[in-house]
Amino acid sequence: AQTVTQSQPEMSVQEAETVTLSCTYDTSESDYYLFWYKQPPSRQMILVIRQEAYKQQNATENRFSVNFQKAAKSFSLKISDSQLGDAAMYFCAYAGETSGSRLTFGEGTQLTVNP
Amino acid sequence: AAGVIQSPRHLIKEKRETATLKCYPIPRHDTVYWYQQGPGQDPQFLISFYEKMQSDKGSIPDRFSAQQFSDYHSELNMSSLELGDSALYFCASSPRAGAFYEQYFGPGTRLTVT
């Protein structure tokens, strides 16, 4: 079974600074997708960014970018110019070819942004 | 843009009662997923439907059942409720099964079992 691990239960960053959230995963599949979801206090799950495993280029969405290291099975999220609204729980998630489209989530990282 | 709609948003039930959660996917999305998120936990996959047929099944208790209707909305039926069923239940939809399209989540239904 695929597993997703986020080893940082909590992180904090100063407003306007950069922070990196870590995620590792374990899989034997060759075709899969990775995602970062944000869950603010409202508890809404918001897709932040996604990465296709077959693409070598790291995904970028405005201030959010990933560092995808396929061989190391690592998928970190970098948030640049952090804003107060970035404060939330961040979940790394995996969807693979043999597990259908179901998402397997990591434990989450609670991000605090300090003014 | 239209989003996933879930109703009710909050539900309080007593032990051994029955609850029905409803999900209305984004228009033209034919795949629906249900997840359960306990307090302080990550979401856990329960079940999914594609074109009104069950497409995948996760850690869903036998006391729970679900279906997808002809208009693609889905209902999660939960019977003999237990205290441990208290959680946030998410529905998500995507436009196509078998491919790894993004899943768009609804706001969730918070179920409290007393």
Side-chain angles (χ1 to χ4, degrees), chain B residues 17-108:
Chain B
E17 286 193 320
T18 297
T20 297
L21 279 54
K22 297 184 179 182
C23 169
Y24 298 86
I26 293 171
R28 291 180 295 282
H29 282 198
D30 52 16
T31 306
V32 169
Y33 309 82
W34 286 97
Y35 293 86
Q36 177 192 58
Q37 186 179 27
Q41 297 180 0
D42 56 284
Q44 296 291 316
F45 171 75
L46 293 177
I47 195 167
S48 63
F49 291 88
Y50 168 60
E51 283 290 344
K52 293 153 282 185
M53 299 289 289
Q54 180 182 307
S55 56
D56 194 8
K57 188 174 182 180
S59 50
I60 183 170
D62 292 340
R63 299 177 289 107
F64 294 6
S65 65
Q67 59 181 324
Q68 186 179 32
F69 294 85
S70 58
D71 63 351
Y72 296 106
H73 94 273
S74 178
E75 295 184 4
L76 178 65
N77 298 294
M78 310 161 69
S79 63
S80 302
L81 287 169
E82 301 174 356
L83 296 178
D85 296 329
S86 295
L88 187 58
Y89 290 84
F90 285 108
C91 171
S93 73
S94 68
R96 181 179 167 185
F100 306 119
Y101 288 77
E102 296 95 342
Q103 294 183 26
Y104 298 88
F105 282 74

Side-chain angles (χ1 to χ4, degrees), chain A residues 36-70:
Chain A
W36 279 97
Y37 278 87
K38 168 185 177 182
Q39 187 174 43
S42 67
R43 306 299 300 277
Q44 174 79 49
M45 293 290 286
I46 302 166
L47 178 64
V48 174
I49 199 166
R50 80 173 208 173
Q51 175 77 43
E52 296 91 332
Y54 64 87
K55 288 188 178 179
Q56 294 189 346
Q57 185 173 8
N58 290 324
T60 299
E61 288 287 342
N62 300 313
R63 298 182 296 107
F64 299 87
S65 62
V66 299
N67 183 4
F68 174 48
Q69 301 290 326
K70 190 172 183 178

